[in-house]
Amino acid sequence: MRKDRMGKDLPGKIFVGVMLLLLYLPILVLAFYSFTTSANIGSVHGFTMDNYINLFSNEELRSMILGTVFLAFGSSFLAAVLGTLGAIGAFYAKKVTKNFVGVMNEVPVINADVVTGFSVCIMLVVVLGIDKSTYVPLVIGHVVLSAPFVYLSVVPRLKQMDASLYEAAMDLGATPRQALIKVVLPQIQPGIVSGFALAVTLSLDDYFIASYTKPATFDTISTYVVNATKGSQTEIKTALWALSTLIFLIVVLVVVLMNLSGGKERDKFEG
């Protein structure tokens, strides 16, 4: 009977294996070539760490990476605050309001990034006259991109929480602010952390919104990579291979840590 089950599971395992291969093989190939002296993928002339050295020794690349990281974490913090407050407000609102906010939140999630970027640019730069050199349109654009996803990460945690906890804290003498900080936020903290991590990923990955709203002298990783691929600077191109590899490794590490943390939380809850 066990052999029959293994035989039935074999096609599914093969399918999963093929899908994983298609997903990760291109990244692994890129990671392999980031440790070589090759200028183009397809031939290997030798192995070296020069691409990683160039990545951190090149002032232009270093400035671009730091700027992108600051933008990602700054805009993600604002998105986490707004998305969390929006989710809490909708959760305790009347059913009609809750449904309306939920539906409106889905629009920017489904909407194409190019439409969002172009709309933010027209509203802030053309209509309101905000100077793009102030970075305000860029930050607002990334908050608009990320906040709805934070909302979607927090709402399930709120639904798992007892809705009467807030009122109970108020009955015991807590102020609304104390009830929010000491009762509600600890209950939904995993959702906030997940939403923040997702917002950081979206900001790092964004191209269209950044290209429409960024100052002319500033580049994110995405806009820089697109512009770099149009040029012929081999040293920059191969250093970007190293950067892509590092981003992949960091993402894998974060996902593993988040899953380990989630597993410990589930074990604690079940225990």
Side-chain angles (χ1 to χ4, degrees):
M1 186 173 180
R2 187 176 179 182
K3 291 182 178 180
D4 293 340
R5 179 181 293 181
M6 291 179 61
K8 293 180 179 179
D9 293 342
L10 184 60
K13 292 180 179 179
I14 294 176
F15 176 77
V16 172
V18 171
M19 291 302 298
L20 290 175
L21 185 65
L22 292 175
L23 287 172
Y24 289 101
L25 184 58
I27 301 175
L28 295 177
V29 170
L30 182 65
F32 171 78
Y33 276 93
S34 69
F35 292 99
T36 69
T37 58
S38 303
N40 296 291
I41 294 178
S43 60
V44 179
H45 302 291
F47 292 92
T48 181
M49 292 293 295
D50 287 347
N51 294 329
Y52 291 87
I53 295 174
N54 293 334
L55 177 62
F56 294 103
S57 62
N58 187 297
E59 177 63 29
E60 183 181 345
L61 289 174
R62 192 164 62 243
S63 176
M64 177 268 296
I65 295 171
L66 289 176
T68 304
V69 171
F70 281 131
L71 171 65
F73 279 87
S75 64
S76 297
F77 174 78
L78 295 176
V81 172
L82 294 176
T84 301
L85 292 178
I88 294 173
F91 180 72
Y92 286 105
K94 295 181 180 179
K95 185 176 180 180
V96 175
T97 304
K98 181 187 300 185
N99 293 337
F100 175 77
V101 173
V103 171
M104 294 304 296
N105 184 78
E106 292 177 4
V107 174
V109 172
I110 301 174
N111 195 25
D113 288 354
V114 63
V115 177
T116 301
F118 197 49
S119 302
V120 170
C121 180
I122 291 177
M123 175 59 68
L124 298 180
V125 179
V126 179
V127 177
L128 298 181
I130 299 177
D131 191 354
K132 288 172 64 176
S133 63
T134 61
Y135 293 91
V136 172
L138 177 60
V139 173
I140 292 178
H142 277 216
V143 172
V144 170
L145 170 69
S146 304
F149 290 91
V150 177
Y151 178 97
L152 292 177
S153 297
V154 173
V155 165
R157 287 288 178 173
L158 286 167
K159 291 181 178 179
Q160 294 174 4
M161 183 186 72
D162 188 349
S164 63
L165 286 176
Y166 181 80
E167 287 81 1
M170 298 277 287
D171 292 339
L172 292 173
T175 64
R177 181 179 178 181
Q178 289 174 333
L180 174 64
I181 295 175
K182 295 184 178 182
V183 177
V184 177
L185 291 183
Q187 294 289 324
I188 62 174
Q189 181 182 355
I192 298 174
V193 173
S194 298
F196 176 80
L198 181 58
V200 171
T201 302
L202 290 169
S203 179
L204 292 174
D205 186 58
D206 171 67
Y207 169 76
F208 289 107
I209 293 177
S211 64
Y212 280 120
T213 58
K214 73 178 185 67
T217 57
F218 179 80
D219 267 312
T220 63
I221 292 176
S222 297
T223 59
Y224 188 90
V225 168
V226 171
N227 294 329
T229 55
K230 297 177 182 178
S232 57
Q233 300 183 47
T234 301
E235 182 179 308
I236 296 295
K237 182 178 69 174
T238 54
L240 292 175
W241 295 353
L243 175 61
S244 301
T245 303
L246 290 177
I247 292 175
F248 173 71
L249 292 176
I250 292 172
V251 169
V252 170
L253 178 62
V254 170
V255 170
V256 170
L257 292 176
M258 290 181 66
N259 277 277
L260 291 175
S261 176
K264 291 181 180 178
E265 182 184 348
R266 285 192 298 271
D267 293 340
K268 183 179 178 181
F269 179 79
E270 292 174 357

